[in-house]
Every structure is written in structure tokens, then in C-alpha cells.
Amino acid sequence: MCHSDLPPGQPAPDAVRREVGIPLPTGEVMPALHVTAAPGAPGVLIIADMLGRSPFYEHLAALLAAAGFQALLPDVFFRQGPLPEPGTEAAVARRAQLDERQSLDDLRVAVDWLGKRSTTIPVGTIGFCMGGTFALDLASSRGELVTVAYYGFPEPPAWVVSPPPKPIDLVGSLRGPVLAFWGDRDTTVGMASVERYAEQAADANPHFEHAVLSGLGHGFLGASDLGDPADPGGATWARSVAHLRSHLHIG
């Protein structure tokens, strides 16, 4: 359900890639991949799912750089370390060790790091699954952000040991341009809570947009052709890039 492999048929564009460290108030340093085609470009923070940094998200970072952004892909699991083995079971076990409220604080620092290196304000975020939940939480606490959230959880799963604040509890504070996507066949996210969240978000924030795609399930972007506008999942990627370009002032 989450993303690890490259999308099918997607050559990676040229971009400058470098490993960076984000100094945190705790004295720790969060590692991240920074990808850009132009210094000072508008920044977009990529927030991965519970599998963490993977070739899939590294590819998205390169695509965003090719679209005129600088992309930052942090490793929110840097305290827990890499997965001991691939697969959902190991990812769930590692996520159980994650303090997700601390992760939100780490991501706020990453937003500021990007902002200091960009000649434009605001900063964008794009999150997926667990990362989509983080992106929605950030949009309710940092009104200057431009947000894209894929299959975020309005109410995090009951099995999450240290959940972040529930986006649905913060929806009244949702600010900034927010674009959110879900699939109507998503059996994990709780579509009833998605409906409640979307209704309340639209009431709270006139800049909230969302789409529930027919026939698609959780993690649909990983099985989509991102370059094919006729592919329903791929079309969401084009819409996401257009949303970020419009609100981050790329002509």
C-alpha cells in the first residue's frame, strides 16, 4: 500500500542532488535529500509514508526539481534507523517507536530550513499516507504553507502508538491553499472520516480542495503513470504540481 519502488516507466530527470543535515533544537541533526534544478527556487517539503525515504520519493523529488522547485525529503525515522527488512510488518513495528508529535516538530524545522533557502514565500508541503496526515496537521498550525495531501488520515489508525494530533480535531484551524486526494476504494484510511473532514475543511477554509477518485485505493499514486493525463492517478500528480506552481508563484 505504501511506496518504495519507482513508478512504472518514469525516467528520472536531471537535477542536483545532495545529502544535507537539518539541525534540530534537540541538538540532533535530521538527514535529508535536497534536490534542486535552480538555487533559491520555491521549496517543497516531501513527507513520506511509514516506509520512509525510498526510490519512489527520491524520484518525486527529482520531478519537483524539474518543475522548478527545490525539494527536501527528510528522514523522519532517523532516530529509529533503517528498516531491518522490507515489508509492511517491519514498517509497522518501526512506526510504533516513532514519536509522531516530535516528528511534527522536526518537520516544522525542515519547513523553516527550506524557507531560508528560497527566494519566495511560502513553502509547499506534499505528504503521503502518514506523511499526508502530517501535511494536514502542518496546514492547521502553519497558515503560510501550500499543501498537498495524498490519502492522509483525518483520524490516525488506532494501532499507532504515538499518534500526531488528529487532523479532524484541528480542521477548524486549517489555513492556506490545501489540495487533498483519496481513493474511494481505500479500506485503511476510513472514508467516513474523510467525508466528515472534507465537509468541515470546506467550511473552515475557502482555499480547501479535494477529490475522491473512483475505483482507486490507498497508495494509488505508486501504481499510476505520472506522465499520463489519461491515468486518473497520474492526473492527480499533474494537478498537484499545478497547485504548487500556482501558489508558490512559478509562472
Side-chain angles (χ1 to χ4, degrees):
M1 294 187 299
C2 293
H3 310 303
S4 58
D5 296 327
L6 289 174
Q10 299 291 310
D14 291 332
V16 177
R17 304 165 184 243
R18 64 189 183 109
E19 302 294 333
V20 299
I22 312 298
L24 301 175
T26 59
E28 300 163 296
V29 176
M30 178 168 61
L33 173 68
H34 184 236
V35 186
T36 184
V44 178
L45 180 71
I46 302 174
I47 314 174
D49 56 52
M50 70 176 181
L51 294 182
R53 176 176 165 177
S54 69
F56 178 84
Y57 293 113
E58 293 174 3
H59 179 73
L60 294 190
L63 291 179
L64 287 171
F69 303 101
Q70 55 174 315
L72 184 69
L73 172 58
D75 179 8
V76 299
F77 290 104
F78 73 96
R79 295 181 181 91
Q80 290 73 38
L83 287 173
E85 59 186 25
T88 301
E89 185 175 348
V92 169
R94 183 177 65 171
R95 185 175 176 181
Q97 304 171 34
L98 186 69
D99 182 338
E100 298 194 18
R101 291 177 182 267
Q102 178 66 65
S103 295
L104 271 174
D105 289 340
D106 297 342
L107 292 170
R108 291 185 181 100
V109 175
V111 166
D112 293 337
W113 188 95
L114 263 179
K116 291 174 182 176
R117 286 156 180 80
S118 174
T119 56
T120 63
I121 295 174
V123 168
T125 68
I126 181 166
F128 301 81
C129 188
M130 179 189 77
T133 306
F134 285 148
L136 294 175
D137 276 347
L138 288 171
S140 286
S141 63
R142 299 283 295 259
E144 78 279 13
L145 298 176
V146 178
T147 303
V148 179
Y150 276 86
Y151 16 90
F153 286 72
E155 300 182 76
W159 53 263
V160 175
V161 176
S162 177
K166 297 178 181 179
I168 202 163
D169 289 345
L170 305 178
V171 68
S173 300
L174 192 70
R175 297 292 181 268
V178 178
L179 176 61
F181 296 107
W182 291 273
D184 70 350
R185 300 292 179 88
D186 192 333
T187 59
T188 62
V189 75
M191 293 308 296
S193 67
V194 167
E195 291 178 10
R196 291 195 302 273
Y197 182 85
E199 181 178 353
Q200 294 177 38
D203 288 340
N205 183 357
H207 305 294
F208 174 80
E209 303 175 64
H210 83 290
V212 177
L213 285 86
S214 177
L216 297 184
H218 196 72
F220 62 78
L221 198 67
S224 301
D225 184 341
L226 306 188
D228 183 1
D231 181 314
T236 68
W237 177 252
R239 186 175 173 185
S240 296
V241 172
H243 176 80
L244 292 166
R245 287 177 64 90
S246 173
H247 295 290
L248 295 176
H249 313 298
I250 296 180

